Amino acid sequence: MPPRDGGVSGPTPAAPADVDELNRVFSDAFTERYHRDGMRSVRVPLLNPAVWRYAFAVAGDGAMIWRDGSGAIAAFNMVHLSGVEGWMGPLAVRTDLQGRGLGRRIVTAGIEHLRRQGAQVIGLETMPRTVENIGFYSGLGFRPGHLTISMGREVLARDAMTPALAVDVATIDACRALTSRVRPGADYSREIALTRRLDLGDLTVVEARGDVAAFALWHRVPLAPTRTPDDLRILKLVAVDLGAFGRLLEALAGVAKRLRLERVSIRCETRATDAYAELLAAGFKVHWTDLRMSLEGHREPELAGGVAFSNWEI
């Protein structure tokens, strides 16, 4: 009897030459998922190749691909580690190979990889309405946590432009220290360095008494290659308190205005109810929700004060 997964082998490291094929598997798999959830008009676009290159660079040897007997991509899992904070995404199985145990295989491989790397947090995000996915991940030991709410705010005429920041090693070190204080064990300095090296975005910092009180790592490149750059998209955000968080939101609107972008997008973790209220007061509107799930024994710790948003999507 032939194997249920069609003789799939792997994982092997993802490479830039895989982007086009990965994109097709990604788009087809996520489109099919939306259709099964009743959203028949949705077609998930291909991701910007620049975003894939960033995903490969950030994941390192956690950028995993599985191939079928003909060498075609059967599945993939982008597995990330930021200090001790580990998460998976995007990940997908080719539509014709779903239901054969391959999804369990790639998620298990991601868990094992993160455990070997010493991850204390292991998580992922999925659509709250997708009960099949929630049940699948629950069967692998993941437990539901809070929602992540995607929110956006238009740039307004009254927003004051924020000047460009000269980021140096000392600035990144200060951001690392602030992250360690608010979200112990997490470290986003690698993402900051790669974002700037690949020219995808930059870092915005708010200071108080000569020290970093808040920062946000953002991308300006569109997620889909067919779209024009119109969004300042926040990937990581840390603030020492709500006051610094509010000043950071103002600065980000000013950065978007300077770059002639139309809006600022942020993904708010709903355990931060005060920060959510601050976002609403600042004019941010709700667009989408995702359910955050963490592996039993590797759940996210409580914040040590302040605000911290870590986007578990690329």
Side-chain angles (χ1 to χ4, degrees):
M1 179 181 295
R4 291 181 65 238
D5 62 11
V8 170
S9 61
T12 57
D18 297 315
V19 166
D20 288 346
E21 191 178 0
L22 262 179
N23 240 340
R24 290 193 296 273
V25 173
F26 165 83
S27 176
D28 290 347
F30 280 87
T31 296
E32 193 269 346
R33 177 70 265 179
Y34 279 108
H35 288 182
R36 277 196 284 155
D37 283 345
M39 290 176 275
R40 304 294 302 179
S41 64
V42 173
R43 175 69 195 178
V44 175
L46 303 177
L47 275 179
N48 192 328
V51 175
W52 279 115
R53 289 192 290 271
Y54 173 77
F56 295 169
V58 170
D61 58 2
M64 303 178 182
I65 285 179
W66 285 258
R67 298 183 184 276
D68 65 16
S70 69
I73 294 176
F76 66 88
N77 189 356
M78 300 291 114
V79 185
H80 311 270
L81 187 65
S82 304
V84 298
E85 179 188 324
W87 56 278
M88 291 177 266
L91 66 155
V93 174
R94 206 172 70 206
T95 54
D96 61 306
L97 291 173
Q98 292 178 7
R100 304 187 187 188
L102 189 51
R104 174 178 292 269
R105 183 172 162 187
I106 70 171
V107 174
T108 299
I111 293 171
E112 292 173 349
H113 172 79
L114 289 172
R115 281 177 167 160
R116 287 194 301 270
Q117 300 298 315
Q120 294 178 18
V121 174
I122 299 177
L124 49 79
E125 290 185 343
T126 190
M127 292 166 58
R129 65 177 291 165
T130 308
V131 293
E132 289 179 16
N133 280 9
I134 295 171
F136 168 73
Y137 292 125
S138 296
L140 291 172
F142 288 85
R143 299 294 176 258
H146 52 273
L147 291 177
T148 298
I149 302 184
S150 297
M151 307 178 73
R153 173 216 193 273
E154 301 299 314
V155 175
L156 305 174
R158 67 173 181 266
D159 292 322
M161 290 191 189
T162 302
L165 173 72
V167 176
D168 55 19
V169 173
T171 305
I172 296 176
D173 286 345
C175 292
R176 182 189 296 113
L178 176 61
T179 303
S180 181
R181 175 180 170 185
V182 175
R183 200 177 191 121
D187 182 358
Y188 306 130
S189 53
R190 188 161 181 262
E191 287 94 330
I192 294 170
L194 284 169
T195 290
R196 304 188 78 240
R197 192 181 81 194
L198 297 172
D199 194 28
L200 303 177
D202 212 335
L203 186 70
T204 295
V205 169
V206 167
E207 294 186 339
R209 295 180 294 278
D211 201 3
V212 172
F215 74 87
L217 172 66
W218 47 265
H219 283 185
R220 67 178 180 277
V221 296
L223 283 173
T226 56
R227 296 176 185 167
T228 57
D230 56 9
D231 204 16
L232 192 82
R233 189 163 45 91
I234 312 304
L235 275 71
K236 308 291 180 185
L237 181 151
V238 180
V240 69
D241 56 30
L242 278 177
F245 178 65
R247 294 195 300 275
L248 180 61
L249 295 180
E250 293 176 1
L252 290 167
V255 171
K257 187 168 187 176
R258 171 169 55 82
L259 296 175
R260 299 183 179 180
L261 302 175
E262 296 178 2
R263 72 188 62 85
V264 178
S265 295
I266 193 166
R267 304 183 77 243
C268 174
E269 299 176 29
T270 54
R271 62 177 174 172
T273 53
D274 290 342
Y276 178 65
E278 187 80 18
L279 286 164
L280 292 174
F284 282 80
K285 306 295 184 184
V286 173
H287 295 307
W288 193 254
T289 58
D290 290 285
L291 176 65
R292 206 149 165 120
M293 302 186 74
S294 298
L295 188 67
E296 190 66 68
H298 295 273
R299 296 193 185 189
E300 293 182 88
E302 294 297 320
L303 296 180
V307 179
F309 296 156
S310 176
N311 189 347
W312 283 359
E313 288 186 354
I314 290 298

